[in-house]
Amino acid sequence: MLVNVNELKQMCEMLINKAIEAGFQEVELDKDYYWVIASEHKGTVVFMPRTISEKVVNNKPNQLTNFQLSNCFCTICEIM
């Protein structure tokens, strides 16, 4: 799926503005890990893991990678 960057920016700004208008000061993200599947392997996924220990795609653990959202957020904050 390809997303136009300008459209994505508009969507993000709209969501953030709505949250601010609704009085939100913070947003709780209760899930810290996410999975990245290489494009060439997306059609071969047998099941989506529920935990980090279930990193299996067609019995090949190296086709699935997990990242931690809190680490990514800290990295972006450092860049800003």
Side-chain angles (χ1 to χ4, degrees), residues 8-19:
L8 182 61
K9 179 183 176 190
Q10 289 175 336
M11 289 178 206
C12 290
E13 287 174 348
M14 181 192 69
L15 290 171
I16 291 169
N17 289 337
K18 291 286 184 185

Side-chain angles (χ1 to χ4, degrees), residues 4-78:
N4 178 285
V5 174
N6 289 324
E7 290 177 359
L8 182 61
K9 179 183 176 190
Q10 289 175 336
M11 289 178 206
C12 290
E13 287 174 348
M14 181 192 69
L15 290 171
I16 291 169
N17 289 337
K18 291 286 184 185
I20 292 168
E21 289 170 12
F24 285 89
Q25 298 295 315
E26 298 174 330
V27 176
E28 182 178 0
L29 304 174
D30 62 348
K31 305 292 184 215
D32 197 23
Y33 292 94
Y34 63 95
W35 297 98
V36 175
I37 302 170
S39 295
E40 64 270 16
H41 300 297
K42 286 184 180 177
T44 63
V45 176
V46 176
F47 70 95
M48 182 53 76
R50 289 178 301 244
T51 66
I52 295 170
S53 63
E54 294 181 23
K55 294 169 65 173
V56 177
V57 176
N58 287 348
N59 297 320
K60 296 177 184 174
N62 61 350
Q63 294 179 359
L64 189 62
T65 306
N66 69 294
F67 290 93
Q68 193 169 3
L69 187 59
S70 56
N71 286 344
C72 296
F73 185 79
C74 289
T75 300
I76 293 170
C77 288
E78 289 174 9

